[in-house]
Structure formats: C-alpha cells, structure tokens
Amino acid sequence: MALPDPSWSADDIVAHLRSIGTEENRAGMARFGINTVAALGVGNSDLRPLARKLKKNHERSLLLWDTGIREARLMAAFTGEAKKVDIGQCRRWAAGFDSWEIVDTVADLFAETPFWRELIEEFAEDEREFVRRTAFAMLAWGAVHLKKEPDGTFLAYLPLIEKHAGDPRNFVRKAVNWALRQIGKRSMALYAPALALAEKLAASSDKTARWIGKDAVKELTDAKRLERLAAGKA
C-alpha cells in the first residue's frame, strides 16, 4: 500500500490500521480501562501522525465511524470537519460511545461546533454515563482551547458542575472534576469562583462531591500552578 495521503478512502485507512495493530497494544489499552472489544491495537502515537497526513474529510469520517472499530472511530474524530458536523450526527455518535477514550477524543470535535453550548446542556442532563461525561469533557476542552470565548461563558457553567458533582459513576465524576479544574486554571478571573466551588464541594457530606472538590482544591492551590496562572501562563 502506498504511503498515507488525503486520497485514501475509509477502506484504505481501515486496511492500514489492521496491518499495524498488535495484540500487545490491545492488552496495554485494556489496562487503562479502554474498551478493546472492537480495537485493532493501534496506539494514539501512530493514529495522530496518520490523521495529520490524511487531512480533514467530513464524508470519510462518517464512513470511518460507521465501521464501529475503535481506531477508525478515533480517526473519524481526528479528521472530522467541525463546520460540517450537524447536531443530529453528534447525538448519533454519542449514542454509540462505549469508552472514556472515545468520549474525550470526540468531545474535542464537538466542542468546535457552533452549537457546542447546546450539546453541553443536553448531554449533561442525559442519564447515560458516557453521554454525560461528554458534556464535561467538552467543557474541560473548551476552557483550555476556546481562547476567544469570554470567561463569563465558563463562569456560567459552574452551577452545572455543582449540580452533577454528586454523580458517583467513575467516568462522570472524573470529567466533572476535570472541567472544574480547567475552568479554574483558565484565568485569574475564573480562579476565585472555581476555587470557591471546589472548597464548597470539598466540605460536602456527599462522598463523590467531596472527592471532586478536594482534588480540585489540591490542584488549584498548588503554588507553582498559581504562580503560572498569575503570570498568564496557565
């Protein structure tokens, strides 16, 4: 097969992925809690460079997703075009989420759509564990990468974090914690309100909320991290 290039079809990509997957990689993924039922055993260290060579292609990304293969779905997220994604596609993809890794990768794509706020609100209220995780993974990613978004946007999401801080499911609580920490580290303007919420949760009688709060307080009060934030390097 020729070297990867943007002309490759979804079938070409899947064939290539099958040729480089290993059982050793599949075993390693399983140790990190990644669902390997439909995995070929190709690590992200190979997938990301491959995605850069293949370039963005919306139609091809839809075909890759429909294979149901872990690596193909990650490639669909890496090479999807956010401007061409519609909200129905986001809902369909979210219904098939079966791993924290898929969630966190696709959340990056979803957070670049023009309706990302609507998705966060909708997915946060969804009772499915991986769908709810998506809302907070999007929020965490957005707090870091949506540089042009005003801080007020993220300040307004603190009540949503507080509302779901009691969800004890592992992949939800970790994402809620992640979102809180990333908002607090976004700017000095957000630091104080995020820390205040973290301290409030840390004092909660709810075990999950208490864990989320204590972990966030620990990171947000780290002296070196606070120094970097004050210097505008967070």
Side-chain angles (χ1 to χ4, degrees):
M1 184 179 288
L3 293 175
D5 71 61
S7 70
W8 272 21
S9 68
D11 288 341
D12 292 332
I13 295 170
V14 171
H16 177 68
L17 294 171
R18 290 188 185 280
S19 73
I20 62 174
T22 69
E23 284 301 317
E24 182 180 2
N25 280 341
R26 288 183 79 250
M29 293 168 192
R31 288 194 293 271
F32 283 95
I34 294 171
N35 188 335
T36 59
V37 171
L40 301 175
V42 184
N44 283 337
S45 60
D46 290 315
L47 293 178
R48 289 184 180 277
L50 177 60
R52 288 194 289 270
K53 293 176 182 177
L54 294 171
K55 308 297 183 184
K56 303 284 187 178
N57 185 313
H58 176 68
E59 289 73 21
R60 188 183 61 199
S61 74
L62 296 177
L63 295 174
L64 287 168
W65 184 266
D66 286 343
T67 67
I69 298 169
R70 168 201 172 259
E71 287 80 0
R73 287 192 159 184
L74 290 175
M75 291 300 297
F78 292 146
T79 62
E81 298 178 74
K83 292 182 179 179
K84 294 183 179 181
V85 172
D86 62 50
I87 199 164
Q89 176 189 333
C90 295
R91 291 167 178 153
R92 289 191 299 274
W93 282 23
F97 288 163
D98 60 1
S99 170
W100 66 263
E101 179 196 37
I102 293 291
V103 168
D104 294 1
T105 304
V106 178
D108 296 358
L109 176 66
F110 287 1
E112 293 182 336
T113 64
F115 43 81
W116 65 273
R117 298 173 191 79
E118 182 178 347
L119 285 177
I120 287 177
E121 296 288 347
E122 178 180 328
F123 287 168
E125 298 309 314
D126 196 296
E127 289 299 327
R128 290 170 291 182
E129 182 174 9
F130 288 119
V131 178
R132 182 168 290 172
R133 179 184 175 91
T134 305
F136 294 99
M138 289 175 63
L139 190 51
W141 188 93
V144 175
H145 297 284
L146 298 179
K147 304 294 187 182
K148 295 182 179 180
E149 193 68 31
D151 283 347
T153 297
F154 297 98
L155 180 64
Y157 280 115
L158 291 180
L160 188 69
I161 288 175
E162 183 174 5
K163 178 179 179 181
H164 293 289
D167 190 324
R169 293 174 293 181
N170 187 49
F171 295 116
V172 175
R173 71 185 182 99
K174 287 186 175 180
V176 172
N177 168 264
W178 181 22
L180 177 56
R181 289 185 288 108
Q182 294 305 106
I183 290 175
K185 293 184 294 180
R186 179 179 169 89
S187 69
M188 285 304 298
L190 289 172
Y191 174 78
L195 178 59
L197 175 56
E199 291 174 335
K200 179 180 179 180
L201 295 176
S204 173
S205 59
D206 181 87
K207 180 180 179 181
T208 301
R210 192 164 61 247
W211 175 84
I212 289 171
K214 286 184 176 180
D215 187 75
V217 168
K218 181 179 179 181
E219 180 163 348
L220 293 176
T221 56
D222 177 77
K224 290 184 178 180
R225 190 173 299 279
L226 185 55
E227 183 178 335
R228 292 188 62 200
L229 181 61
K233 299 179 181 180

